[in-house]
Amino acid sequence: EKKKVTSAQISLAWMLCKKPFIIPISGSRKTKRLKENFEAASVLLDREEIETIDKNWTAWRFLFLAAIGHKLL
């Protein structure tokens, strides 16, 4: 909400910041969503945001809630 990005973008940004060898692969049926997913690479999460996600969300629950559009931060 404070970053003005989607939950899916937060989810992808979180996965990208975990390990340099993690490359999330998301399925997209619409060009708009594909563009949104690519833009997630420019979303920067600060340490506090990453710790909040790590502390409060298991990976699968986090990804599920992002997929259904739940506000994550």
Side-chain angles (χ1 to χ4, degrees):
E1 201 169 280
K2 72 180 182 178
K3 289 194 173 293
K4 307 279 191 248
V5 297
T6 68
S7 295
Q9 288 174 311
I10 295 287
S11 175
L12 290 169
W14 175 76
M15 286 187 279
L16 288 168
C17 78
K18 297 311 288 179
K19 301 281 184 195
F21 54 83
I22 292 177
I23 302 171
I25 300 172
S26 63
S28 298
R29 294 178 187 218
K30 298 180 181 181
T31 305
K32 177 183 174 182
R33 296 289 181 228
L34 185 61
K35 182 178 183 289
E36 180 181 287
N37 291 341
F38 281 120
E39 290 171 351
S42 64
V43 175
L44 299 176
L45 300 175
D46 62 32
R47 185 177 307 170
E48 182 180 334
E49 292 166 329
I50 294 166
E51 288 173 358
T52 297
I53 294 168
D54 288 342
K55 179 179 173 188
N56 295 314
W57 305 95
T58 64
W60 292 110
R61 182 172 184 227
F62 179 75
L63 296 172
F64 171 75
L65 292 174
I68 63 170
H70 184 75
K71 296 291 181 198
L72 302 170
L73 294 175

